[in-house]
Amino acid sequence: MSRPLLVVDDDTDLREALEEVLRDAGYTVLGAGNGLQALEVLRREPVPPCLVLLDMMMPVMDGATFGRQMRQVQAWRDIPVLVFSASANARQVAEEMGACGYLRKPVDVETLLKAVGANKAPEVV
């Protein structure tokens, strides 16, 4: 079974555009509008995602809080997180939360797909 990607962003239009681009590239994609919804997605999915593409500034639960809570669960601890932020300190935030990398918004499709491909966890055979 192919592991999905999880896109977490409160900007619905942007999240749906990202999901479409990633689906067109052949990925199975899950979406969430904030960190709390993302935790709910993780709880209900039988297979953990191979990567979380994570916005930082979101209502209800921000990306940093989601990241800390996700890392407290053994089954989710090693899921790679790619910070996706418009913040000027996106790299610092990514380093502080132990993310595998970061992307600054806006991002072009080629850069997005390259970063996702390079950072997603390998499929389990």
Side-chain angles (χ1 to χ4, degrees), residues 71-123:
R71 299 284 189 228
Q72 293 176 357
V73 177
Q74 179 70 30
W76 306 337
R77 182 171 295 157
D78 296 327
I79 298 171
V81 174
L82 191 58
V83 169
F84 187 58
S85 175
S87 172
N89 66 349
R91 184 169 96 185
Q92 178 183 352
V93 169
E95 289 173 357
E96 288 172 358
M97 70 179 305
C100 60
Y102 71 98
L103 291 169
R104 294 269 322 268
K105 294 178 184 177
V107 66
D108 62 79
V109 171
E110 183 179 338
T111 302
L112 171 68
L113 294 177
K114 185 175 179 181
V116 167
N119 290 291
K120 68 181 182 71
E123 295 294 329

Side-chain angles (χ1 to χ4, degrees), residues 24-36:
D24 287 348
Y27 293 104
T28 300
V29 184
L30 307 169
N34 60 60
L36 186 59

Side-chain angles (χ1 to χ4, degrees), residues 31-87:
N34 60 60
L36 186 59
Q37 288 179 358
L39 290 172
E40 292 168 2
V41 169
L42 291 176
R43 284 186 196 103
R44 77 169 184 249
E45 288 298 315
V47 177
C50 63
L51 179 77
V52 177
L53 187 61
L54 181 63
D55 185 20
M56 298 309 293
M57 301 287 289
M58 297 179 286
V60 183
M61 180 185 287
D62 64 19
T65 303
F66 165 78
R68 282 192 300 275
Q69 292 194 17
M70 184 186 90
R71 299 284 189 228
Q72 293 176 357
V73 177
Q74 179 70 30
W76 306 337
R77 182 171 295 157
D78 296 327
I79 298 171
V81 174
L82 191 58
V83 169
F84 187 58
S85 175
S87 172

